[in-house]
Amino acid sequence: MEETDEGQPAGPRAGHRISVEGNAGAVIVGDHNMVVDAQHGSTVTVVMERERPRPVRRERVELLPRRVPEPVGRSSESAALADAVRAGGLVQLWGPPGVGKSTLLRHAARQLEPGPAGVVFLTAAYREVADLAQELFEACYEAPGYAPSRAELRRLMAGIPVTVYLDDADLTYGQLLDLADAAPDATFVFAASDRSLWNDGTALEIKGLDRAAGLELLARELRRPLREGELGGATDLWQAAAGLPLPLLRAAGLARLGPAGEARLPLPGEVASLLPELLEQLGTAELNVLHLMATLYGAVLDPVHIGALTDVPDAAGVCDRLAGLGLVVAVEHGYLFTTDVGPAVRQKCPSPFPAERLCEYFVQWAERADTTPAQVAGLGRALELAAELAERDGRPELAVRVARAASPALARSLRFGVWGRLLGRGWVSARATGDRQAEAYFTHEEAIRALLTGQRVLFVALAAEALMLWQALSNSHGAAAALQLHQFAAIPVAPTAPLLPSGATASAHVAAAHSGAAATPAQSVAAHMGNLAGNGGTAHAGTAGGAHLGTAGGAHAGTAHLGTTGGAHAGTAHVGTAHVGTAHAGTAHVGAAHAGTAHVGTAGTAHVGTAGTAHLGAAGGAHLGTAGTVGTMGTAGAGGAGAAAAAGGAAAAGTSMASLVATLIAVIVAIAVGGVALNQLQDDPPSATGLAGTWRDGEGTSIHFADAGTGSYSGRVSTQCGPIDVELTGSGDSYSGTQTAYGYLPDGSCDGQGVIGRLSMKITLSSDGSTATVVKGSTPGGPACAYSCETATLVRTS
């Protein structure tokens, strides 16, 4: 079996070729060349056409899953799957956890006829679509350290009829199409808990086993035939398990653990208590392994790591025994915790695995010379969870160490999804510990990642913030690296873009921004980094969003409030009286606190109080008024091609660094307040025609509406109570129809009744098609509209 290095793949990029290089090599992405520095931050240069890599297509692709026993009682499902794969396109296996989808998928990947170009098996859990596309590219091409742009990826993958199997692929319909678009001639087979494929393919539901198959599975797992007196009890047990293979596997495992010669099957009423009973039968080694895996839920762990962390000598053997009991799952590169085991293990072991031990081990392992970037990326989920646990334990310095140790390797692995999440986690922890060096590093690297992923406006804000942090720390190497990014910040800016609209006051601008008028691309650095780490995106006043103009004595022009939980309002500042000191040594230092230095927040607009007027030159020097200058309340100007001077004495910012800072901030300000055309700044803006497309609500839930023709649209959302199916008709900006309704308790939780009918739904699109208002209500003869009904807003994402 041929295998490629695993990790968190980097996906298609929007028109940039960037090479990331550090103490372990270089990679190329898009159209630019970047060098990764583990200490001072990465730099970027342009790759010439003759220097671009030439990927070599593999003669035969064969990335197979581990071998599994032949699925019991799945002959009809296997035949239907074989027919669907032969037909090509998209195929989805769906059904509840424990029904045997993964086993069927792995067996099919090995037994069915592969595509003309071969077969690829991937696991999609905790991976972005772009990362999966990059993984597929690496399986089909010999191109070490190279991630093509989105357009180039599609060109390279065209004409490669490979069959791709993806386990744990709980993707939306839109995500399925995005991945299929990256390899237009491939056949994709997805396994997921809920159905998301309604058009353009075949969806096969996997249900529980029939009685004969259920009894056959019990006998196989008992490793003996069922005795005559057991048939009735075994049938009752099969019924109690609803034919799901996983409970039957556990029931047989519990029977095997009984006294020798007394392998008694559990009674049907004992199915619900199988997990606690199994845990009671385990030894110390098995419980230690489950304790670790429950703490690192969702991470695939190699027995080498399991043994080192738990001091279990034969970790592989212990894991195999646990897999035989249905408590863990053996996958391609280690073992994965079974979904429903967590609560029972946590009840048995209430305290999580020690964070200090996890972090110390992972830091030492990541820093070893023989640890590859692909290995670090493959363990990315465990690294994220270890850092998060350290934060919760009040040890954020450990999380900083984990993130810094892993970041360079994650960048070189081309797995930018997990890299970004760990950068965000490290940034949050660095802020908590006051580690400014680490904060500067994580901000700088996230600027690099934003550039790699085509987020140009975000890149400008992050690059400016990183420059300010490095400069405040007097770190010349870091500042030089950030300064080098200046060439990629050339975004069109209006010649004169006032920070406040004509005639507006600072307080009025604050109110407008908090009402949603602020442009979202100029969100605060703090909100973005917090969102990466999953902590709600709260922006901190100060360096990452606050506008501080102080004298040597530390006076401030009010407190800037840019970030709110889950978002940021760019350009808002509550302005007081500012005492503006003379600019430091002829240079306007923008950003972090520095005695006697003028400070301007990167992600928002600096509104100066009565003591002076601050002006930022877009392409020239930045000038700040001295303490004796009297300016206009709350006004500041973004100059054009030259220097903008304050009334009264001014201190000229003559260095190239100040010029860069002024340029970057003027860009951000102009985008946020000055009315720059955002369409020029956003890559691939979402389509705004009709209902068809992918939308997201305020809680982050996505739904894809597919156009079924003749004005009909359908969609599905997975919820805690079950899938909600939506059927609508309409055109233009108005659509109406119904959706599935479930019974809810007063606290909003499911009442267990299942589907109780349908609710009415009306969707009205905004004039530009970017948002939609959803109103739900009762239908004649349908269920009462209580906890299921509300008015919501959807935002179009594609």
Side-chain angles (χ1 to χ4, degrees):
M1 178 178 72
E2 176 184 319
E3 295 183 353
T4 62
D5 288 333
E6 263 214 355
Q8 220 66 4
R13 302 293 159 232
H16 294 294
R17 180 179 302 272
I18 299 177
S19 149
V20 185
E21 181 181 315
N23 46 16
V27 296
I28 296 181
V29 184
D31 292 317
H32 295 80
N33 186 30
M34 187 179 301
V35 177
V36 164
D37 185 322
Q39 298 299 320
H40 306 296
S42 307
T43 54
V44 184
T45 56
V46 177
V47 168
M48 304 303 292
E49 174 66 28
R50 62 180 179 276
E51 298 171 337
R52 296 178 184 176
R54 298 292 183 264
V56 178
R57 180 173 164 180
R58 302 181 193 275
E59 291 185 8
R60 182 72 178 170
V61 180
E62 194 175 49
L63 188 60
L64 296 173
R66 63 178 179 84
R67 295 185 182 278
V68 295
E70 183 175 356
V72 174
R74 296 299 189 193
S75 57
S76 60
E77 291 91 340
S78 295
L81 179 57
D83 290 341
V85 171
R86 277 193 294 270
L90 300 179
V91 183
Q92 185 177 49
L93 300 178
W94 66 281
V99 79
K101 303 182 298 294
S102 295
T103 298
L104 181 58
L105 189 75
R106 284 175 166 82
H107 185 261
R110 281 190 164 272
Q111 298 300 318
L112 295 185
E113 184 70 23
V119 60
V120 175
F121 183 92
L122 302 173
T123 299
Y126 301 102
R127 294 186 179 184
E128 288 78 3
V129 169
D131 293 349
L132 293 169
Q134 174 66 18
E135 184 108 353
L136 178 56
F137 165 74
E138 291 177 0
C140 296
Y141 278 91
E142 187 69 40
Y146 172 55
S149 67
R150 183 176 183 85
E152 190 176 1
L153 174 69
R154 182 177 172 84
R155 181 186 68 79
L156 289 168
M157 293 302 299
I160 302 183
V162 65
T163 303
V164 184
Y165 295 86
L166 287 102
D167 197 18
D168 293 320
D170 289 304
L171 307 173
T172 66
Y173 177 68
Q175 290 171 326
L176 295 181
L177 294 183
D178 284 346
L179 184 55
D181 186 63
D185 293 305
T187 295
F188 287 89
V189 186
F190 307 88
S193 296
D194 295 316
R195 180 176 180 177
S196 57
L197 184 63
W198 299 91
N199 301 302
D200 304 319
T202 303
L204 302 174
E205 183 179 8
I206 308 302
K207 300 180 180 179
L209 299 172
D210 62 23
R211 176 182 177 277
L215 299 187
E216 182 183 347
L217 178 63
L218 278 172
R220 189 182 78 179
E221 295 304 318
L222 284 170
R223 299 165 191 171
R224 62 169 177 78
L226 289 172
R227 303 185 181 106
E228 185 174 345
E230 293 178 317
L231 292 178
T235 298
D236 293 341
L237 187 62
W238 161 76
Q239 288 180 324
L244 295 178
L246 185 58
L248 297 177
L249 178 73
R250 289 171 177 166
L254 185 60
R256 293 198 310 270
L257 292 177
E262 297 183 21
R264 180 189 67 84
L265 284 171
L267 298 175
E270 297 174 328
V271 168
S273 61
L274 281 176
L275 284 175
E277 291 187 33
L278 275 172
L279 295 182
E280 287 298 326
Q281 301 296 320
L282 298 180
T284 301
E286 286 85 358
L287 286 175
N288 286 344
V289 170
L290 288 177
H291 186 201
L292 170 67
M293 298 188 76
T295 300
L296 300 179
Y297 173 76
V300 175
L301 297 179
D302 187 281
V304 172
H305 299 306
I306 295 173
L309 285 164
T310 61
D311 296 323
V312 171
D314 182 22
V318 170
C319 289
D320 281 340
R321 290 195 293 275
L322 292 172
L325 297 174
L327 300 177
V328 303
V329 178
V331 293
E332 283 60 53
H333 299 281
Y335 293 85
L336 186 64
F337 201 55
T338 307
T339 305
D340 60 342
V341 179
V345 173
R346 283 188 282 273
Q347 187 172 6
K348 187 84 173 174
C349 309
S351 299
F353 203 85
E356 183 171 7
R357 178 157 192 175
L358 287 172
C359 292
E360 292 289 351
Y361 173 80
F362 287 137
V363 167
Q364 293 177 15
W365 172 78
E367 291 178 343
R368 280 170 33 184
D370 60 345
T371 300
T372 67
Q375 289 172 335
V376 175
L379 206 61
R381 173 68 176 166
L383 297 172
E384 289 180 63
L385 293 172
E388 182 180 350
L389 179 61
E391 274 185 51
R392 291 204 306 266
D393 279 3
R395 299 291 305 278
E397 74 280 2
L398 293 175
V400 170
R401 291 184 60 202
V402 170
R404 288 217 66 166
S407 178
L410 292 174
R412 297 193 301 271
S413 74
L414 295 174
R415 274 53 179 172
F416 294 123
V418 67
W419 184 30
R421 293 192 298 273
L422 207 58
L423 287 174
R425 182 65 59 192
W427 183 91
V428 169
S429 298
R431 296 272 288 190
T433 60
D435 187 341
R436 302 299 298 281
Q437 290 280 354
E439 181 186 346
Y441 171 78
F442 293 131
T443 304
H444 187 115
E445 294 305 280
E446 178 56 16
I448 297 302
R449 199 184 73 92
L451 182 60
L452 289 167
T453 53
Q455 302 175 80
R456 298 299 301 277
V457 173
L458 179 60
F459 158 70
V460 170
L462 288 162
E465 175 73 3
L467 176 58
M468 291 181 260
L469 289 168
W470 289 126
Q471 177 65 14
L473 292 165
S474 298
N475 187 318
S476 59
H477 294 290
L483 185 63
Q484 195 270 345
L485 299 177
H486 185 193
Q487 61 182 304
F488 299 103
I491 301 178
V493 182
T496 56
L499 301 185
L500 285 177
S502 177
T505 64
S507 58
H509 180 60
V510 170
H514 280 283
S515 69
T520 56
Q523 62 181 291
S524 77
V525 171
H528 171 74
M529 299 299 284
N531 282 328
L532 273 180
N535 79 330
T538 301
H540 302 275
T543 303
H548 301 291
L549 283 83
T551 65
H556 300 281
T559 302
H561 302 285
L562 286 188
T564 60
T565 301
H569 299 286
T572 66
H574 301 294
V575 182
T577 300
H579 302 286
V580 182
T582 302
H584 206 339
T587 302
H589 297 277
V590 184
H594 198 67
T597 303
H599 304 284
V600 181
T602 62
T605 302
H607 302 298
V608 185
T610 58
T613 303
H615 298 271
L616 296 177
H623 302 274
L624 294 169
T626 61
T629 302
V630 178
T632 304
M633 170 63 181
T635 63
T655 66
S656 59
M657 186 171 298
S659 174
L660 169 59
V661 171
T663 301
L664 296 180
I665 292 179
V667 168
I668 298 163
V669 169
I671 294 165
V673 185
V676 174
L678 293 181
N679 287 339
Q680 297 176 354
L681 306 172
Q682 296 171 329
D683 295 309
D684 300 322
S687 170
T689 56
L691 183 63
T694 303
W695 302 75
R696 181 171 296 158
D697 67 13
E699 297 180 354
T701 303
S702 293
I703 181 170
H704 182 86
F705 290 111
D707 187 349
T710 65
S712 299
Y713 297 83
S714 62
R716 167 175 277 208
V717 178
S718 298
T719 72
Q720 59 177 338
C721 300
I724 293 179
D725 295 314
V726 181
E727 301 292 338
L728 300 166
T729 58
S731 61
D733 61 0
S734 182
Y735 303 84
S736 61
T738 62
Q739 70 155 65
T740 309
Y742 290 89
Y744 291 88
L745 298 173
D747 63 357
S749 61
C750 308
D751 65 3
Q753 297 182 57
V755 176
I756 60 173
R758 296 189 73 81
L759 298 173
S760 68
M761 174 183 284
K762 180 174 177 60
I763 297 181
T764 305
L765 272 59
S766 62
S767 58
D768 63 357
S770 62
T771 62
T773 301
V774 181
V775 179
K776 301 178 187 177
S778 300
T779 56
C785 189
Y787 302 101
S788 298
C789 294
E790 76 278 342
T791 298
T793 299
L794 301 179
V795 177
R796 187 189 296 272
T797 59
S798 69

